[in-house]
Amino acid sequence: MATRDPSFIVDDATEVPVPAPGEVWTVGAVVLNRDGAAFAQKRRPDRRLFPDTWDIVGGHVEAGETVLEALAREIEEETGWRLSRVRRFLGTTTWTGDDGGGLRHEADYLVEVDGDLDDPALEWSKHSAYGWFGREDLDRLKENRGPGEFLIHDLVARALAERPHP
């Protein structure tokens, strides 16, 4: 049985990391449509961190937020959709960007959202395109990434392979 948050459902046994004081955390959401394709948005070429690359919805956990509160906020800010269900924890990755922001921990989730999946309200100042990626499209998620920099590709591939049934 799933537990209920005031605004979204979190499936039982879904891991939710609790950031330690002083740690920098980010969150990521893999959103699948009815056809089983995953949503990704392309970061603008002028972005300091990961320019002109495909990314899942997500961002930094702000002071005073839980990981799941940040996940819900980022989904709404970046797409206009509302988080309705956290289906599965996809894992934690630790990485350092080239922006001087230091070490980050990222918690990624497979989620369901409410809203018009055909018309996301993208933050066009941060993103230049969006698309839906099925198994046959996964290699596109490697565009403008170097060898070994396939976090987004690998997350989406895992989410597609482990796609839950309603």
Side-chain angles (χ1 to χ4, degrees), residues 85 87-88 112 162-166:
R85 186 174 184 180
R87 295 286 296 214
R88 178 176 297 134
E112 294 177 8
E162 300 173 359
R163 182 177 179 209
H165 298 287

Short mmCIF file of all heavy atoms in Angstrom, two decimals, residues 85 87-88 112 162-166:
data_model
loop_
_atom_site.label_atom_id
_atom_site.label_comp_id
_atom_site.label_asym_id
_atom_site.label_seq_id
_atom_site.Cartn_x
_atom_site.Cartn_y
_atom_site.Cartn_z
N ARG A 85 2.83 11.02 -8.17
CA ARG A 85 3.24 9.76 -7.56
C ARG A 85 4.74 9.54 -7.74
O ARG A 85 5.27 9.71 -8.83
CB ARG A 85 2.48 8.61 -8.20
CG ARG A 85 2.72 7.27 -7.57
CD ARG A 85 1.80 6.24 -8.17
NE ARG A 85 1.95 4.96 -7.51
CZ ARG A 85 1.26 3.88 -7.84
NH1 ARG A 85 0.35 3.95 -8.80
NH2 ARG A 85 1.47 2.75 -7.21
N ARG A 87 7.11 6.67 -7.91
CA ARG A 87 6.99 5.21 -8.12
C ARG A 87 8.18 4.43 -7.59
O ARG A 87 8.02 3.36 -7.03
CB ARG A 87 6.85 4.90 -9.61
CG ARG A 87 5.60 5.42 -10.27
CD ARG A 87 4.40 4.64 -9.88
NE ARG A 87 4.49 3.28 -10.35
CZ ARG A 87 3.47 2.56 -10.75
NH1 ARG A 87 2.27 3.07 -10.78
NH2 ARG A 87 3.62 1.32 -11.12
N ARG A 88 9.38 4.95 -7.86
CA ARG A 88 10.57 4.15 -7.55
C ARG A 88 11.79 5.06 -7.41
O ARG A 88 11.96 6.02 -8.16
CB ARG A 88 10.81 3.16 -8.67
CG ARG A 88 12.05 2.30 -8.47
CD ARG A 88 12.22 1.25 -9.53
NE ARG A 88 11.10 0.33 -9.46
CZ ARG A 88 10.42 -0.08 -10.52
NH1 ARG A 88 10.76 0.31 -11.72
NH2 ARG A 88 9.41 -0.91 -10.39
N GLU A 112 5.28 9.85 -11.61
CA GLU A 112 4.11 10.14 -12.43
C GLU A 112 3.70 11.58 -12.14
O GLU A 112 3.88 12.06 -11.02
CB GLU A 112 2.95 9.19 -12.10
CG GLU A 112 3.23 7.76 -12.46
CD GLU A 112 2.11 6.81 -12.05
OE1 GLU A 112 1.03 7.28 -11.60
OE2 GLU A 112 2.32 5.60 -12.17
N GLU A 162 12.85 -1.00 -16.28
CA GLU A 162 12.14 -1.38 -15.05
C GLU A 162 10.76 -0.77 -14.99
O GLU A 162 10.18 -0.64 -13.91
CB GLU A 162 12.95 -0.91 -13.82
CG GLU A 162 14.33 -1.52 -13.73
CD GLU A 162 15.16 -0.92 -12.62
OE1 GLU A 162 14.68 -0.01 -11.92
OE2 GLU A 162 16.30 -1.37 -12.47
N ARG A 163 10.23 -0.38 -16.14
CA ARG A 163 8.94 0.33 -16.17
C ARG A 163 7.87 -0.42 -15.38
O ARG A 163 7.58 -1.58 -15.67
CB ARG A 163 8.49 0.49 -17.61
CG ARG A 163 7.20 1.25 -17.72
CD ARG A 163 6.80 1.47 -19.15
NE ARG A 163 5.54 2.18 -19.18
CZ ARG A 163 4.67 2.06 -20.15
NH1 ARG A 163 4.90 1.28 -21.17
NH2 ARG A 163 3.54 2.73 -20.10
N PRO A 164 7.29 0.27 -14.41
CA PRO A 164 6.25 -0.39 -13.62
C PRO A 164 4.95 -0.47 -14.41
O PRO A 164 4.71 0.32 -15.32
CB PRO A 164 6.07 0.55 -12.42
CG PRO A 164 6.45 1.88 -12.96
CD PRO A 164 7.53 1.64 -13.98
N HIS A 165 4.15 -1.42 -14.06
CA HIS A 165 2.83 -1.53 -14.67
C HIS A 165 1.83 -0.91 -13.71
O HIS A 165 1.92 -1.10 -12.51
CB HIS A 165 2.50 -3.00 -14.94
CG HIS A 165 3.48 -3.62 -15.90
ND1 HIS A 165 3.48 -3.35 -17.24
CD2 HIS A 165 4.53 -4.44 -15.68
CE1 HIS A 165 4.47 -4.00 -17.82
NE2 HIS A 165 5.12 -4.68 -16.90
N PRO A 166 0.88 -0.13 -14.25
CA PRO A 166 -0.08 0.56 -13.38
C PRO A 166 -0.81 -0.32 -12.42
O PRO A 166 -0.91 -1.46 -12.49
CB PRO A 166 -1.05 1.20 -14.37
CG PRO A 166 -0.39 1.17 -15.70
CD PRO A 166 0.66 0.12 -15.66
#
